[in-house]
Amino acid sequence: DSDGEDLVPQIITPEVRFPELKKTAFWRNGGKLARQLMGVDDSVYGWGHMIRKPARIGGGLPWHQDEPYWDPGFDYRALGCWMPLDEATIESGCMSMIPGSHTRDILPHRHINDDPAVHGLGTSPDRADIARAVPVPTPAGGAVMHHRRTLHMSGPNVSANVRRAYANEWQ
């Protein structure tokens, strides 16, 4: 609701408005892989998140873990599945991750710019051990999966092209 252009527009739970998203190979295969990776035979709960990074506008999304977004009163078994709809290069703001960070505890997180109206959370770069970060360029339609505590971020889109992504969280 702020003035100015959206720097990183996003849609949370697009499958509520467009239930046909639950019939896609991305949804079906993501759920199947999530069950295998989490070692569960029964169903998993999934929800989506779409992100659009305009060309040459805005910054990156800060280092964060997914679990701090959720109610701390529960013990989660979860992972994220991120699929770029446009090629995700270092220049267009591909995801970067810190190997082994999923074994750490949840780090302290704050709203971006300390603004509770902003959906995004981030942790301090000195807590993230960013010297070990690995960028993960991914072709359009490829996918990257990560544990709920994996430290990850995406850089700014400094390319001449929009970079869109569709992510599903599986719990």
Side-chain angles (χ1 to χ4, degrees):
D1 294 334
S2 60
D3 293 335
E5 186 170 9
D6 286 334
L7 301 181
V8 183
Q10 54 188 317
I11 301 169
I12 308 295
T13 62
E15 67 279 358
V16 171
R17 184 163 179 202
F18 301 102
E20 58 270 21
L21 287 169
K22 289 186 172 185
K23 296 178 182 175
T24 64
F26 179 59
W27 187 277
R28 186 175 53 254
N29 292 340
K32 183 177 180 179
L33 286 168
R35 284 189 297 279
Q36 290 175 357
L37 290 169
M38 290 190 286
V40 297
D41 293 326
D42 52 353
S43 65
V44 291
Y45 171 74
W47 57 271
H49 181 196
M50 293 182 166
I51 303 167
R52 180 180 184 272
K53 282 192 172 186
R56 299 188 180 115
I57 294 176
L61 295 176
W63 286 104
H64 68 280
Q65 298 162 301
D66 290 342
E67 195 169 356
Y69 282 94
W70 310 327
D71 184 339
F74 294 97
D75 184 23
Y76 292 93
R77 292 178 72 186
L79 56 82
C81 185
W82 183 83
M83 176 180 67
L85 303 176
D86 304 291
E87 182 180 17
T89 64
I90 292 171
E91 293 77 24
S92 70
C94 71
M95 193 178 292
S96 291
M97 299 186 189
I98 298 178
S101 60
H102 68 285
T103 63
R104 297 175 70 173
D105 289 334
I106 299 171
L107 297 175
H109 285 66
R110 300 184 340 210
H111 287 277
I112 296 171
N113 298 325
D114 291 322
D115 182 351
V118 174
H119 178 71
L121 296 175
T123 191
S124 173
D126 61 320
R127 292 184 179 270
D129 194 14
I130 59 175
R132 296 184 32 236
V134 176
V136 187
T138 309
V144 175
M145 297 187 93
H146 63 275
H147 186 275
R148 70 189 186 275
R149 290 192 180 169
T150 298
L151 280 159
H152 60 286
M153 60 84 73
S154 61
N157 183 0
V158 297
S159 78
N161 304 305
V162 67
R163 202 273 290 140
R164 300 167 297 164
Y166 178 28
N168 288 328
E169 195 70 41
W170 297 99
Q171 301 178 354

